[in-house]
Amino acid sequence: MAAQSPHLGANYDLPPAEIGFIDGVPHAAGFNDGYYNADNGLAESRHVFLDGNRLAARMAGARHLTIAETGFGTGLNLLAVMAELEAHPNLHLDYISVECFPLTASQMREAHAPFSRIAPHAAALRAALPPRWPGYHLVTLCDGRLSLHLHYGEIGSLLPQMDFTADAWFLDGFAPARNPSIWTGEVMGHVGRLTCPGGTLASFTAAGDVRRGLEAAGFHVERVPGYGRKRQMIRGIRKGEPATPDRRPQRLAVIGSGIAGASVVAGLRRRGAEAVLLEAGDGPGKGASGNRMALQSPRLTVDHNAMSRLSAACLSFAARLSDAAGASLGTGVLALDSPDRIAARHKIFRNQLWPQDLLRPAQADDLPQGVDQDSPGIFYPFGRAIGPARLLAHLTAGAESHTGFSVTDIAIGADGMVIAAEDGRRVEAETVILASGADLDRLLAMAGMSLPIETSYGQVSHVPAAGDLPGGVSFGGYLTPAMDGFHDLGATFTRQEQDVETGHSHNLGLLPDRWRHWMKASATKEMGSRIRRRATLPDRRPLAGHLGTRLAVLGGLGARGFTLAPLLGDMLAAEILGHAAPLDRAQRQGVSPLRYSSESG
């Protein structure tokens, strides 16, 4: 008898936020407590958290600040910060918040209704809310100047896996007597670990256990007048001598303008850095990122391990970005029970609990007319079929770009790095990011480094349109909706380039029989094609991180670049500039180039 998976019945969903409204104030049924003060929740947020951390004065003199919060709730504290940010047009903020019971947009709408003063910010937040999946979600607000990092799950398991440095903390959440898990000595210890010397905190509570936990974590804590009927609150400052801030690079060169390079450039520019794109071709996406269409879908595992959670986080960001860019051409990806190894995984998925907008059993409505299957597979509602050209144009709009720039040398100069082109042009930058896809191995060699890059050829077949297909389909290969009279069907994976007819036959052979009949596609002479190289690593995980003081890399994305690169590129930009990039530690280590450090030159 075959052994059963230990993950059968696993629950990867979040509990709902059960709230009711008493005199217009939201209350959490499970904690028998309100989300904010009944007198004036917005005034309470300003008094306790903004004034308690002296934020208005600190924001006036800063270019960047990181605020962290225990308990996102209705988002009211964030909305107060967004209103204050209006007065500081040159400031960039990272706002990191943890929430175990995320509210829906409709629940937030009712909670926000009394606060007309911040109505535009509240509407923007609700429109940008990510899906309610456990784990990490990046949201950009205030024209990109505010990065909201939402972590959905239990704070006691999430904070130990994070590494960032906060300038200020909002210690929120329900009262310690009603929600003790958020106020433990262990949680307060991590608050101390994640705060810079001289960093501050504020909280509505003045409970003795909380004060003592914070003092043990390295804070000097004092009681001060609270808001309204609450007599006292606390504020604190992290002991220690504030460090002199490191000088961060201001001019950066990104080699490669496919989805990897474009994502890094977008992340750098929205944080105020000067980024220049160097592209060997005559425009963005001339390599593997230049296909007519692409799919965004997750690569999940039955144990939902670190890389599975990272894949979900990447899809959350990439799909919302594609929608905002007008690049989404189809919604949802149907993953068929083919081949057998995928079918075995799907069988376990169907016996687990997942967020329904991340993963659910496929239904008849997910199939096009003419395809009849009793149990077709798994459906990813947040998957997307996208137009790569539209997304690349959105990410690189307004960026300085040098095309026809075929790099021949990367050297250390007097003030940074010097990149030389075949035609004699030279570009100087303080830091260089390698994001050149299949050309990555050659550029690493120029920088005196080596990583086990594997390259392969991928041929996409352009198949005459067969019928209405609202989203994408995956089955070991992939199929897109029709565009301009053709579906994209792919893709080959060969070490050596092969003839086009062989590639067409391979791609058609990936399709299950019923889909091949639906496609009515056997005359390969009617098909077009596109062949490009792509780069992967032996463990099939990407590379995202520093290679040295002045060198970083984003690559090895294989066939999932349009899912992985948008978030990983933004996180890499944040790391380089010294901003918060609070992916959990296992996820960062899983994509770090340092995992191959013993093999690097």
Side-chain angles (χ1 to χ4, degrees), residues 445-486:
M446 290 180 195
M449 309 190 78
S450 174
L451 289 169
I453 305 291
E454 301 173 353
T455 59
S456 64
Y457 287 87
Q459 176 182 320
V460 176
S461 300
H462 304 150
V463 183
D468 183 37
L469 190 63
V473 185
S474 69
F475 40 81
Y478 69 90
L479 177 68
T480 71
M483 183 176 73
D484 298 331
F486 289 88

Side-chain angles (χ1 to χ4, degrees), residues 31 56 101 307:
F31 298 98
F101 302 93
M307 290 299 99

Side-chain angles (χ1 to χ4, degrees), residues 206-545:
D209 286 347
V210 174
R211 295 200 317 271
R212 287 186 287 274
L214 289 168
E215 287 167 351
F219 289 93
H220 171 73
V221 182
E222 62 178 344
R223 285 178 288 192
V224 296
Y227 177 79
R229 288 169 289 181
K230 188 152 183 61
R231 191 166 58 88
Q232 291 182 322
M233 56 172 270
I234 58 173
R235 63 187 183 192
I237 186 167
R238 184 74 164 84
K239 298 172 185 176
E241 194 66 30
T244 302
D246 293 337
R247 184 187 179 281
R248 297 293 176 172
Q250 291 303 303
R251 179 173 169 83
L252 305 99
V254 179
I255 303 177
S257 65
I259 186 58
S263 298
V264 177
V265 162
L268 292 169
R269 295 183 71 237
R270 80 174 182 86
R271 292 175 173 86
E274 181 185 0
V276 54
L277 265 173
L278 306 179
E279 168 57 46
D282 59 4
K286 297 303 178 182
S289 295
N291 288 339
R292 295 176 347 117
M293 299 187 75
L295 297 190
Q296 293 173 331
S297 65
R299 186 174 184 176
L300 304 178
T301 60
V302 296
D303 61 348
H304 206 27
N305 59 30
M307 290 299 99
S308 176
R309 297 192 303 273
L310 176 60
S311 181
C314 287
L315 176 63
S316 167
F317 185 67
R320 288 180 284 120
L321 174 67
S322 295
D323 292 348
S328 297
L329 305 177
T331 299
V333 171
L334 172 64
L336 304 180
D337 283 359
S338 175
D340 289 346
R341 58 183 170 79
I342 295 177
R345 185 188 317 146
H346 287 182
K347 183 177 180 180
I348 298 173
F349 283 163
R350 285 190 281 268
N351 286 280
Q352 297 175 322
L353 292 175
W354 292 82
Q356 286 292 290
D357 54 351
L358 173 57
L359 178 160
R360 63 167 171 77
Q363 302 165 358
D365 290 348
D366 302 323
L367 298 166
Q369 285 189 338
V371 177
D372 179 21
Q373 288 183 314
D374 295 330
S375 180
I378 293 295
F379 191 71
Y380 300 113
F382 231 74
R384 297 288 186 271
I386 68 163
R390 295 186 190 181
L391 184 55
L392 292 175
H394 174 82
L395 291 169
T396 60
E400 179 185 346
S401 180
H402 298 265
T403 58
F405 198 102
S406 181
V407 176
T408 57
D409 189 43
I410 302 172
I412 299 176
D415 299 314
M417 306 293 283
V418 180
I419 308 102
E422 191 174 45
D423 60 9
R425 285 179 289 171
R426 293 161 60 91
V427 169
E428 296 185 8
E430 296 170 72
T431 295
V432 175
I433 299 97
L434 306 181
S436 53
D439 205 30
L440 190 56
D441 206 19
R442 184 178 71 86
L443 294 181
L444 284 167
M446 290 180 195
M449 309 190 78
S450 174
L451 289 169
I453 305 291
E454 301 173 353
T455 59
S456 64
Y457 287 87
Q459 176 182 320
V460 176
S461 300
H462 304 150
V463 183
D468 183 37
L469 190 63
V473 185
S474 69
F475 40 81
Y478 69 90
L479 177 68
T480 71
M483 183 176 73
D484 298 331
F486 289 88
H487 301 280
D488 281 17
L489 173 67
T492 62
F493 191 97
T494 59
R495 297 298 177 202
Q496 303 294 326
E497 188 171 4
Q498 59 188 11
D499 67 88
V500 171
E501 289 298 313
T502 300
H504 286 325
S505 297
H506 170 273
N507 291 341
L508 287 170
L510 293 173
L511 280 165
D513 289 343
R514 293 182 182 180
W515 283 82
R516 198 177 304 126
H517 296 325
W518 177 79
M519 291 286 294
K520 301 182 181 66
S522 58
T524 57
K525 63 184 179 182
E526 298 176 4
M527 300 181 191
S529 67
R530 188 173 190 269
I531 304 172
R532 289 296 185 273
R533 291 189 307 140
R534 59 195 165 203
T536 58
L537 279 298
D539 59 11
R540 297 297 180 261
R541 300 201 302 261
L543 296 167

